Amino acid sequence: MDFRTDRMAPSTSNVHRRPLPYLLSIVIPLYNEEPVISLLQAGIESLIPKIPCAVEVVLVDDGSRDGTFFMLSQWASENAGVKVLALSRNFGHQNAATAGLDYASGEAVVLMDADLQDPPELILPMLERYCDGYDVVYAQRIAREGEGPLKRVTAWAFYRLMRLLIHRDLPVDVGDYRLLSRPCLNALRQLRETHRFLRGMVAWVGFPQTAVQFRRPQRAAGHTKYPFRKMLGFASNAALSFSAFPLKVLFVAGFVMAAAGFAYGLYAICRVLLGLYVVPGWTSLIVAQCITGGSILMGLGMVGSYVARIFEEVKARPLYIVARSINIATAQTEPQAVMAIPDTEAR
Ligand code: UDP
Ligand code: MG
């Protein structure tokens, strides 16, 4: 495996070697993943003996409509180290991942996708980097296999745009597949905003970070839950919840337009004062009016999207609702709205 220390990593003086975690949690959100579960189970079960510390697996069923929960409960019945949370409906990948991270009790936690596009073997080099002292070890894709040109182009543009909008140090070509140390996870769990962009939030909490690189394989089975429309929604969510950059662009565009309008107005007045021929001016008038009206509407729409976000945040609804759980000590019989952060020590 090829390692490369990312430039977000601070100087090595901040990074000190440490022992293996007493428990490693592997958190996996799943939505309609029935075709892939047996492959995932085989992949994880064959990896566990190679991991040099205790392991728990936290599987979050994000309101699947197929046989996902049934298959997960079978897996959990065979292995007490496999915990299952079933959310009451589909809350989306970021919220399902949050649920899993809240219920993980490991000293180190790995978040990964269910479809084996995040190869489980990568956990071994991630653990090595954890022992080197890094608190965040993310998996960086150096190539993507078996994905169509549209998915590749949108993903390429997505990461570059996010870097521009969120933070110039946000690593590119890095998804949510990563290992987090307990201190970093505890910091992350304090961020309870409704519109979640986990990888941006992890960058925000800081801590020493590094990368392990891999070639991303194609899905083992089933189909993507992130079609183009959802990718677009995810990108705009990430941009709007993390950055006021769109508002700044709007302000600059509005300023440039207003300045141009002012200059044009001066020019028109000068022409009149100098007694030059003045065109009846309908065309220029209507064009100016359209540009002004359009830019005002654009601005209102942009402000509106931020206001909508404030509205959502002010409601402070729970990020997810756990309907059922298996192999979790605090198993809920009643649906539980998780607003407060569950106490890991108590479990
Ligand atoms: N997922 C989820 N809830 C959703 C959508 C996706 O829990 O609403 C899970 C899905 O089961 C998978 C992971 O998120 O484990 C990533 O989804 P997918 O592989 O479809 O995304 P892609 O790799 O195509 O971007
Ligand atoms: Mg995938």
Side-chain angles (χ1 to χ4, degrees), residues 29-31 33 62 90 92-93 96 113-115 117 151 216 219 224-226 230:
L30 303 100
Y31 177 53
E33 295 289 7
D62 186 16
N90 179 241
H93 171 247
D113 287 356
D115 56 5
Q117 281 197 290
K151 179 89 190 179
R216 192 170 204 230
R219 243 181 184 274
T224 178
K225 312 295 175 308
Y226 273 104
K230 255 192 167 177

Side-chain angles (χ1 to χ4, degrees), residues 107-170:
E107 196 180 359
V109 177
V110 170
L111 175 62
M112 66 184 282
D113 287 356
D115 56 5
L116 297 178
Q117 281 197 290
D118 297 340
E121 317 82 64
L122 216 63
I123 292 177
L124 299 173
M126 283 181 173
L127 261 180
E128 283 174 29
R129 307 305 275 160
Y130 168 87
C131 293
D132 286 343
Y134 291 98
D135 289 278
V136 181
V137 187
Y138 48 80
Q140 189 163 39
R141 303 152 187 179
I142 50 172
R144 309 168 75 98
E145 286 159 17
E147 285 182 348
L150 186 66
K151 179 89 190 179
R152 279 170 195 244
V153 170
T154 50
W156 185 90
F158 173 80
Y159 290 114
R160 269 75 195 169
L161 188 70
M162 287 307 105
R163 184 168 216 161
L164 182 76
L165 291 181
I166 292 173
H167 198 287
R168 68 189 165 81
D169 277 339
L170 190 80

Side-chain angles (χ1 to χ4, degrees), residues 28-32 59-70 72 84-89 96 324:
I28 310 176
L30 303 100
Y31 177 53
N32 293 343
L59 303 164
V60 184
D61 174 16
D62 186 16
S64 301
R65 292 161 192 268
D66 61 0
T68 296
F69 181 72
F70 175 71
L72 296 185
V84 180
L85 284 175
L87 305 188
S88 58
R89 65 169 171 84
R324 278 177 286 184

